[in-house]
Structure formats: C-alpha cells, structure tokens
Amino acid sequence: MNEFKSAKIREVISAIRHYDRFMIATHVHPDGDAMGALVAMQLILRRLGKSVVAYTQDPYPQEYGFLANVREIRNKPPGPADHEAAILVDCGDLERVGEKLLDSVKGAGFLINIDHHLVNKPFGNVNWIETSASSACEMLFDLCMSLSLPPDKALATALYTGILTDTGSFRFSNTNARVFEIISTLTGFGADPARIAGEVYDSATPEKLKLLALVLGTMEFHASSRIVTAELSRSMLSDSSSNYVESEGFINHLRSIKSAEVAILFREVGDGLIHISMRSRGDINVARLAQLHGGGGHKQAAACRISGELHPVRSMFIAETISYLNGSRRPENG
Ligand code: 5GP
Ligand code: MN
C-alpha cells in the first residue's frame, strides 16, 4: 500500500475511533457499489461498537434486498442531535447525497468522505479519495484490513457486490489483478459468487423487462452508429406498471453495441428534469461531457441532469455529443 493511501486510512480510522454516533449515507438512486458500501460501512461500524444509522434519499433497487440489514435503511432525514459524525460513501460531490439529506450531512460535527470518483471535490473534514480503486467497496475492503477486521459472510457479501457491479461483472477497465485478489479473499470469507450474481442479475420482475422493451424501442443511432441513445419517459413507467428504480442498469444494453463509442440513456426523473447516463469505450471521457452540465462520474461512466422536456434535451445533448466526439480526437481531450 502506498504511503498516501495508508496515511488517509489512518486519518479515517482515527476519526471513526473518536466518535460514537454516526449517520452514514450514499448517493441518490443508489447502485450496487453504493448499496454494498453503505451496508459494509454499517457492519464495520457496528463491529467497532459504534451506533450507526444508514440513509439513502431514494429507495434501493429491489435486487439489493438480499444485503444485510437493508430494511433498516432510512429515507427520512435525521435530526441534528441524532449523530455526531457523518460518513458519505461513493459520492463524487456533496450534493450527490440528495437534497433531502443534505442539511443533516452538513449539520454533522464531522464529515468523512470515502470515494473513488474522478471528479471528487473534497468536501469532508477527512477526504479519502482513491480514483484508482475499482469501487467504494474495494476501499472499504482496505479499511477492514487496516482495522484487522476480517469480514464475516455478510460483510464479505456486501463488499463483493459493490466490486462486482462497479466493474460491470469484471468486464470494465477498472478490473485488474488486485480486484481478483480481493474477490478471491472475499470468496474465502464466505461471499458466494453464484448466489450474489443470481440476486443481482437474475432477479428481475416481468414489469422491469416490459419497461426495458419500451426503452429499447426508442433506440437511435447517430454519427455512423458511434453514438447510441434511448429514452425513458414517465408514461413508460405507468404503461409497464414499473418504476424508475428498475431502470438502473438499462444503459448497459446500449453499451453492449459494438459500434457504440458513446451510449446515452435519457430518463425523465420528474417533471422537467432529465437524468442523462453515459457510457463510453476507448479514449472517450464522458465525465468531461457530464461536467459541462454540472454532473460527473468516471471516464467511461458518467451522468448529469438537465432541466427541460425529454425530446428537446435529447436532441440538444446528441448534437453536443457529436461535436465532443469530433473534438475528442484532439490530444488535450484524450
Ligand atoms: P449513472 O449513469 O449510473 O446514473 O451514473 C454514472 C456514474 O456517474 C456513476 O459513477 C455516478 O456515481 C456518477 N454520477 C451520476 N450522476 C451524477 C451527478 O449528478 N454528479 C456527479 N458528480 N456524478 C454523477
Ligand atoms: Mn462506485
């Protein structure tokens, strides 16, 4: 472990040891890494004898319902006296926690930020940011090891889940030898690969597949099929009797098209707000594109939100992506 990283972990550990009552939270619309890291952080703090309550602003996708203690996760923000310190996991910026939880996090006497995003703005009193980590769960594995806390089955399962999902099942470029070493160790500690993959990838509802069919029906190709886009409107949710949370992961179907250097999914989050998810391959840095609109993420997986109606936002953003793609051949954008 490099000196910078061990110093950061020491800072995190001494802050954790100093406080007794924690709120922990992760980003809006939590994915597998967010959920794995939240559950893992809760288990770690409890093993250390701390009092901890976990929060997410939005409901979690049902496929993560098998993780330990997820039913204890609260959506309603805590009062200022309920905790001494807050820990945010997998949040590239403070606002990612969601407006409903923001004041509670800001009101905490001490804030620990544990994250692996490219554009993380250090917002905590302690900021442990590891952009080379595959996932927030990989970082929490390192935290466990530094605490000499060998994971039990529940903790190993949570950490495994986050690494599995943030590496796209060990397919993305953040998959490396260290990821497999950690995965091997977690399997030794009781994480069950077939069971976890079954829960995460093979537990869809019929409604989810109906929604996916509607979304894929809107697929369009641009720039000689280098760009593929699709959309999810609010009416598709009622037409399929599904909900927004079920669309987590749909972007991966667009990403699977060989010619697609950039895959974009436009989702109507609420009236007049569009969530734009992007995935790229090769040298295309979609985090930069997301940053132009106040979003962020990773080089090959990023997102932002734009106010407006679905179709005008989609057309505008496609035009912007086409010019970005043309410009991205320049070395300074590489
Ligand atoms: P997704 O497309 O799955 O919503 O997000 C892709 C990636 O971008 C994830 O790593 C996510 O954490 C990050 N991301 C999504 N929305 C935002 C945003 O509004 N701001 C920032 N900074 N990152 C985001
Ligand atoms: Mn993550």
Side-chain angles (χ1 to χ4, degrees):
M1 194 181 292
N2 67 50
E3 187 41 43
F4 179 79
K5 182 166 160 185
S6 43
K8 277 291 165 196
I9 296 182
R10 279 199 302 276
E11 257 189 85
V12 170
I13 291 176
S14 81
I16 288 177
R17 293 208 189 282
H18 190 261
Y19 295 96
D20 284 319
R21 290 178 299 117
F22 291 85
M23 87 169 272
I24 60 174
T26 188
H27 58 77
V28 291
H29 300 296
D31 56 11
D33 187 36
M35 289 302 296
L38 190 70
V39 166
M41 197 70 234
Q42 188 192 56
L43 293 169
I44 293 168
L45 289 171
R46 287 199 177 147
R47 290 262 294 269
L48 296 172
K50 307 292 177 179
S51 143
V52 51
V53 183
Y55 297 86
T56 58
Q57 171 178 292
D58 300 313
Y60 56 84
Q62 53 83 28
E63 55 262 42
Y64 301 113
F66 74 102
L67 294 172
N69 307 328
V70 278
R71 271 155 216 89
E72 291 176 27
I73 295 174
R74 297 187 196 168
N75 306 122
K76 200 171 160 284
D82 290 348
H83 53 275
E84 301 163 329
I87 303 179
L88 288 199
V89 289
D90 204 34
C91 291
D93 58 50
L94 184 54
E95 288 68 32
R96 286 280 289 150
V97 76
E99 58 188 15
K100 290 188 195 138
L101 294 177
L102 196 56
D103 285 344
S104 311
V105 174
K106 283 183 177 165
F110 199 86
L111 178 56
I112 303 174
N113 166 15
I114 301 178
D115 187 45
H116 70 121
H117 287 90
L118 205 55
V119 291
N120 195 309
K121 306 173 200 120
F123 54 77
N125 299 97
V126 171
N127 298 284
W128 176 26
I129 297 161
E130 205 77 58
T131 53
S132 64
S134 64
S135 50
C137 281
E138 176 177 329
M139 298 175 70
L140 294 189
F141 172 85
D142 288 335
L143 179 64
C144 286
M145 293 300 125
S146 301
L147 282 162
S148 304
L149 268 189
D152 59 11
K153 187 179 171 80
L155 181 48
T157 300
L159 295 174
Y160 184 113
T161 300
I163 298 172
L164 174 73
T165 54
D166 253 25
T167 58
S169 309
F170 314 117
R171 290 176 303 143
F172 299 161
S173 58
N174 56 356
T175 310
N176 53 33
R178 171 134 173 84
V179 160
F180 285 113
E181 279 159 22
I182 296 172
I183 282 297
S184 167
T185 306
L186 292 173
T187 307
F189 282 124
D192 178 343
R195 171 166 181 248
I196 297 170
E199 295 282 1
V200 173
Y201 298 115
D202 297 323
S203 64
T205 59
E207 290 75 20
K208 176 173 175 169
L209 269 280
K210 285 182 198 159
L211 180 62
L212 176 62
L214 295 175
V215 168
L216 293 182
T218 70
M219 209 162 55
E220 279 177 12
F221 295 89
H222 313 269
S224 315
S225 300
R226 291 169 67 202
I227 302 172
V228 55
T229 67
E231 68 186 44
L232 185 157
S233 65
R234 299 306 286 181
S235 62
M236 289 176 190
L237 299 179
S238 43
D239 291 348
S240 59
S241 308
S242 190
N243 60 62
Y244 183 89
V245 180
E246 300 242 67
S247 65
E248 164 69 38
F250 281 10
I251 181 82
N252 294 321
H253 293 276
L254 304 181
R255 189 189 173 278
S256 70
I257 292 166
K258 193 170 184 181
S259 65
E261 292 174 43
V262 182
I264 313 175
L265 178 62
F266 298 86
R267 284 181 287 178
E268 212 171 18
V269 193
D271 268 348
L273 188 63
I274 314 299
H275 184 92
I276 305 176
S277 289
M278 286 166 272
R279 302 292 184 268
S280 66
R281 64 174 88 216
D283 262 352
I284 314 286
N285 186 343
V286 281
R288 294 212 181 143
L289 206 43
Q291 280 174 279
L292 296 177
H293 295 280
H298 311 274
K299 185 178 172 191
Q300 296 187 324
C304 59
R305 287 176 172 208
I306 296 183
S307 298
E309 296 302 316
L310 189 53
H311 291 155
V313 167
R314 184 174 175 178
S315 310
M316 180 278 290
F317 202 81
I318 289 167
E320 207 170 289
T321 308
I322 293 171
S323 21
Y324 182 74
L325 264 191
N326 294 333
S328 74
R329 293 294 176 223
R330 293 200 302 270
E332 69 270 23
N333 288 343

